[in-house]
Amino acid sequence: MTADVARRPGRPRPVPLIMAVLAVAGVLVWLLTGHPGALRLGYAGGPVALAAAFVACRGIGALSDVPGPVREFWRMFSWAALSVGTGAGVSFAISNNKPGLSPFVAVPQVLGVVFFVLAFLLLPRERRSAQAWAQMLLDGLTVSLAGGLIFWYVILDLAGPSTDAVTQHGAAAVGVGGLIALVVIGRAAMSPASVVDAVALRILAITPLAAIAVAVLLIAGGEAGRLWMSVLAAPVVGVSMCLAAYRQRVVLARPGRSVAAPGGRRLYNALPQVAVVATAALVVFVSARQLGWDQRIVIIGAVLIAACVVARQLIGLRATDRLLVDIRRRQAELTHLALHDPLTGLANRHRFATELAARLAAHRPATVLLIDIDDFKLVNDTMGHVVGDRLLVEVGERLRQNCADTHLPSRLGGDEFAVLLGDGPTTAEDVAAGLLAALAVPFVVGEHQLLAGASLGIAPAGPGDSGDEVLRNADIAMYAAKAAGKAGWARFEPEMRNEVVNHARVGSELHDALVRHELYLVYQPVFDLTTGRMSGAEALVRWHHPVRGHVSPAEFIPVAERSGLIVPLGAWVLREACEQLAAWRERYGDASICSINVNVAARQLRDPRFVDEVAAVLNDAGLLPVDLVLEVTESSVVEGRHVRETLTALHELGVRLALDDFGTGQSSLSLLRAFPVDVLKLDKSFVDGICDGEDRGRLAVAAAVAQLAEYLDLYTVAEGIETAAQMERLRTMGYRLGQGYHMARPLPPAEMADLMTTNLRAVSPATGAVAAG
């Protein structure tokens, strides 16, 4: 991943703000130095500053890691900047200091005010009653009428006789629009549902104030005042927009941010009252010029009464403002909690699903990366949940640091994270590789240095896909990455879904098979390689499907482990095998085998009731614990503390434990110290090719395992013996027990019973096969 893409989401970029400030500075220098050169130089700052404002506002509108209403607000504001900037460009082209405002300048600026107002009106608002809506409309009408009267009677009256009426009314329209915009800002700022930062809203209030000042000075101001305001207004508006956008980016970049901070709005609340006072003053002014003293006294008294009422309302605004501050603070906290994960501060599942659905509804490209921490349960089991939670926080922070502004990193739950990719030059595969490389660097968590490799699934949204389907496809791809060896990524392919559907079908049918008794056991004998006597048997589950016939264990056992059906399936196998051994002993006595071997999955060992279940089965069958050998794989043993505790409890109970497929794991020797093992079962891969010097490496491993078992006083069982030569070679190495097709295939209970009765008369395995199968 390139460095420019892997930056912290929402990191503030002051470049547009710096450009706008430089534009204002340039205009001030031009004014203070006597405005040398062409007049057009003074008007050049406006288009520059507003172009920077457009870039700043549009940048927030392109972010993924912000709420949708915030993005839409700043996108609309970018259009306002573009419209006002167009008017500034026309002013630059005209470059005159005449009174009034040209319609070619006024029209795009009024359009900018419209976009400005729409941006606020589209923000989320609390539900209002009809009375509240009427109050808002009356406030706007009050301010508009007062502004119109003042501009009509006072400002236009002060205009010079040479001022064109069209330009006067154009400037007045911009001024009244600025007043209306102030009312809209106030109402949006007071709303508890507002999601835009409060300080940014205060800064944006400069824009309508500048419009009002421009309108007044362009109509009634002197030549110097008109020049200063006409060349400075547009750059100042650009600076206010850039500064507000920068403030919003600062808030968004804060960890655990709250996008809307509460603040006082008494000034905005007071606008209608100010309008009443201004109109009253206008009435007094007019009456002083045109009425007698009797009429003047009546009007002045009425105005004073209105002023008292206004003062009373202004005093009441203070308590209302405090209440609104508290409401906004709580609303901001609730909004943040609803959209963010409380542990990592990343977006939560609800926020992620909402953003994904919005992107799909807008027919915009969307790709989901689903990330699952490999072996995270081992961290929780061995180091505790406190360390596990701190590791999740570090993982979330590393994802945040290595995602682009247009990406949305999220925590969906547990150790599962996701990243929603937006538009960008970097491919999903490159982003996935970069994230996995970042997560592969060890994490320092307190006193521990932990590795947290991850498996990642990539799922691009296809035509017509819903958000749930894209997430499900990413989940399928992630499990494919785990199946391929973990610590890697896989891209979703349609055939993967077929595999999942097949797994679901097999899982459903397997559940029914347990109920309908379609499963049965076969037993593969285990022989003493020296005496040839059958010493035990391994119970193996088989499935005869009523329609498909024989179903391979390689097909349904992985499904059972993934779906959790391995627990009831394993319980059934354990009870069935123990009851069968008890039945053989009751019927055949000394001719019966000594013990029964049952395979146990890691999921069973994690069940805290498993030890009690084993003891109950042995008691019900009338067997001793020594009669049972439980076979576990090396991968099961390293599952964590709970598994090791279960194995220790089983060993203390007297049940013998066998380490199956020994030698295929990554920590076989270390397991012998931590695991109470009684039997080592050499994997078939080491038995193949040990004769006639075919594979000296396998021969060396097989011999080493036999010597190790002898030193540790463990039994050894060689699996997968298929030839007499292999059996003889293993016997001479010191292996005591063996099983394989050469000696006997897995047999149903009846054939197994026949073999037990004839085994006492069988020839020594050194001279040939014990039994044909």
Side-chain angles (χ1 to χ4, degrees):
M1 183 185 299
T2 56
D4 60 319
V5 174
R7 57 180 178 268
R8 182 186 180 92
R11 179 177 296 170
R13 297 177 179 178
V15 176
L17 177 59
I18 293 174
M19 290 180 58
V21 170
L22 290 176
V24 172
V27 173
L28 286 173
V29 170
W30 180 81
L31 287 169
L32 294 174
T33 55
H35 35 83
L39 188 61
R40 185 165 292 157
L41 290 176
Y43 287 91
V48 174
L50 287 162
F54 174 81
V55 172
C57 297
R58 199 69 177 177
I60 301 178
L63 296 177
S64 293
D65 191 22
V66 296
V70 176
R71 288 201 307 268
E72 295 303 322
F73 174 85
W74 289 103
R75 285 176 186 167
M76 189 63 69
F77 235 88
S78 69
W79 289 111
L82 183 63
S83 298
V84 178
T86 301
V90 175
S91 296
F92 172 76
I94 297 175
S95 296
N96 64 57
N97 191 28
K98 295 179 180 179
L101 194 63
S102 168
F104 299 105
V105 178
V107 169
Q109 292 192 349
V110 170
L111 183 61
V113 173
V114 171
F115 282 121
F116 186 100
V117 172
L118 283 176
F120 284 93
L121 292 179
L122 292 177
L123 285 174
R125 297 181 298 273
E126 75 279 11
R127 297 183 62 181
R128 288 186 175 138
S129 63
Q131 180 180 358
W133 280 107
Q135 181 183 5
M136 185 184 70
L137 292 175
L138 286 174
D139 286 346
L141 185 61
T142 301
V143 174
S144 301
L145 289 176
L149 287 174
I150 292 172
F151 270 100
W152 179 262
Y153 194 83
V154 180
I155 306 300
L156 295 182
D157 188 58
L158 295 176
S162 61
T163 305
D164 182 65
V166 175
T167 60
Q168 290 181 26
H169 289 88
V174 172
V176 173
L179 286 172
I180 296 174
L182 273 179
V183 176
V184 173
I185 291 178
R187 286 300 171 186
M190 290 186 296
S191 171
S194 180
V195 292
V196 179
D197 178 66
V199 176
L201 290 178
R202 290 194 188 97
I203 297 171
L204 289 175
I206 296 174
T207 299
L209 290 175
I212 296 170
V214 165
V216 172
L217 290 177
L218 286 180
I219 295 174
E223 183 175 353
R226 285 199 311 271
L227 178 63
W228 275 71
M229 185 53 65
S230 60
V231 298
L232 271 178
V236 168
V237 168
V239 168
S240 71
M241 290 184 177
C242 290
L243 184 58
Y246 181 76
R247 163 66 188 184
Q248 183 74 72
R249 292 292 289 266
V250 169
V251 172
L252 293 175
R254 292 174 182 168
R257 63 181 183 258
S258 175
V259 295
R265 291 295 180 269
R266 287 188 297 275
L267 174 61
Y268 296 118
N269 274 325
L271 279 176
Q273 285 75 17
V274 172
V276 171
V277 172
T279 306
L282 179 62
V283 170
V284 173
F285 175 74
V286 173
S287 66
R289 297 177 60 184
Q290 300 179 1
L291 300 178
W293 274 107
D294 293 340
Q295 294 88 348
R296 294 176 189 175
I297 291 174
V298 173
I299 292 176
I300 291 173
V303 168
L304 289 176
I305 292 173
C308 291
V309 173
V310 169
R312 171 66 181 82
Q313 290 188 356
L314 289 175
I315 293 173
L317 285 177
R318 183 176 182 83
T320 303
D321 184 69
R322 290 176 178 174
L323 178 62
L324 287 174
V325 166
D326 185 61
I327 292 175
R328 281 182 57 91
R329 181 181 293 109
R330 295 184 181 183
Q331 182 72 24
E333 293 172 355
L334 291 175
T335 301
H336 182 80
L337 289 175
L339 297 177
H340 292 81
D341 173 55
L343 180 64
T344 64
L346 297 178
N348 60 12
R349 178 181 287 273
H350 173 71
R351 169 81 182 285
F352 185 88
T354 301
E355 295 293 340
L356 175 58
R359 182 171 285 274
L360 295 177
H363 304 288
R364 299 171 62 193
T367 300
V368 171
L369 307 185
L370 192 65
I371 305 166
D372 188 81
I373 306 302
D374 295 330
D375 303 319
F376 177 74
K377 189 177 185 304
L378 184 61
V379 176
N380 270 344
D381 289 344
T382 57
M383 299 183 180
H385 290 276
V386 174
V387 174
D389 287 347
R390 293 178 63 183
L391 176 60
L392 291 176
V393 171
E394 293 298 326
V395 170
E397 181 61 24
R398 196 163 292 183
L399 288 177
R400 184 186 288 113
Q401 292 173 349
N402 287 273
C403 283
D405 287 359
T406 54
H407 301 164
L408 177 62
S410 310
R411 181 184 177 221
L412 303 186
D415 62 334
E416 192 172 69
F417 296 81
V419 178
L420 176 61
L421 302 187
D423 306 326
T426 310
T427 65
E429 288 78 6
D430 290 339
V431 175
L435 292 177
L436 291 180
L439 294 176
V441 179
F443 292 86
V444 178
V445 180
E447 301 175 352
H448 308 283
Q449 189 171 24
L450 305 176
L451 288 174
S455 298
L456 187 150
I458 303 173
D465 283 350
S466 67
D468 287 341
E469 289 173 328
V470 179
L471 267 173
R472 186 164 57 249
N473 293 343
D475 191 58
I476 292 171
M478 184 269 291
Y479 275 108
K482 281 188 177 293
K486 301 183 179 180
W489 59 266
R491 186 182 182 90
F492 174 77
E493 301 294 342
E495 54 268 20
M496 292 180 181
R497 186 185 291 115
N498 297 334
E499 295 177 4
V500 172
V501 171
N502 182 63
H503 272 228
R505 177 180 57 82
V506 172
S508 176
E509 293 177 349
L510 181 59
H511 177 273
D512 295 338
L514 283 167
V515 177
R516 297 172 183 170
H517 306 291
E518 297 171 7
L519 301 170
Y520 62 95
L521 295 184
V522 294
Y523 301 88
Q524 184 168 34
V526 178
F527 291 95
D528 187 310
L529 297 183
T530 302
T531 66
R533 179 176 174 81
M534 189 189 304
S535 65
E538 179 179 358
L540 303 170
V541 65
R542 296 292 185 262
W543 180 12
H544 184 78
H545 193 278
V547 177
R548 294 191 287 141
H550 177 71
V551 181
S552 170
E555 181 179 353
F556 70 83
I557 292 297
V559 175
E561 291 179 340
R562 183 170 176 179
S563 64
L565 286 173
I566 195 67
V567 174
L569 175 60
W572 176 82
V573 171
L574 175 65
R575 182 168 292 275
E576 185 76 9
C578 289
E579 290 178 351
Q580 184 62 68
L581 177 60
W584 282 333
R585 285 194 174 173
E586 183 179 357
R587 182 171 182 180
Y588 300 107
D590 293 339
S592 175
I593 58 177
C594 300
S595 61
I596 193 73
N597 292 27
V598 176
N599 292 280
V600 178
R603 199 154 185 170
Q604 293 175 270
L605 296 172
R606 290 198 296 266
D607 188 346
R609 301 166 297 178
F610 183 67
V611 178
D612 294 335
E613 178 185 344
V614 171
V617 169
L618 291 172
N619 182 69
D620 293 345
L623 299 179
L624 297 175
V626 73
D627 298 328
L628 177 63
V629 179
L630 295 180
E631 298 189 9
V632 297
T633 61
E634 295 182 31
S635 59
S636 299
V637 177
V638 297
E639 280 286 319
R641 176 173 52 85
H642 295 306
V643 171
R644 291 198 297 272
E645 290 177 353
T646 299
L647 293 173
T648 301
L650 289 169
H651 190 263
E652 292 174 352
L653 181 65
V655 175
R656 290 183 289 168
L657 302 175
L659 197 56
D660 199 11
D661 302 330
F662 185 75
T664 59
Q666 299 179 352
S667 56
S668 300
L669 296 179
S670 63
L671 289 179
L672 298 180
R673 297 180 58 188
F675 172 53
V677 64
D678 300 288
V679 181
L680 296 182
K681 298 192 72 174
L682 182 70
D683 187 68
K684 182 180 182 301
S685 62
F686 295 105
V687 175
D688 296 336
I690 65 171
C691 299
D692 303 324
E694 295 178 13
D695 191 329
R696 297 181 62 86
R698 294 180 184 178
L699 181 63
V701 171
V705 170
Q707 293 176 6
L708 179 64
E710 182 178 358
Y711 292 146
L712 297 177
D713 195 23
L714 304 176
Y715 281 93
T716 52
V717 180
E719 297 182 289
I721 301 175
E722 296 181 350
T723 66
Q726 290 176 346
M727 183 175 64
E728 176 61 25
R729 191 63 175 268
L730 291 166
R731 187 181 65 81
T732 58
M733 284 182 182
Y735 282 86
R736 303 180 187 182
L737 304 172
Q739 64 185 100
Y741 277 21
H742 170 70
M743 310 169 75
R745 293 174 179 272
L747 302 171
E751 295 183 25
M752 182 70 180
D754 294 339
L755 181 58
M756 283 190 293
T757 58
T758 60
N759 179 251
L760 293 176
R761 302 188 299 273
V763 298
S764 170
T767 61
V770 174

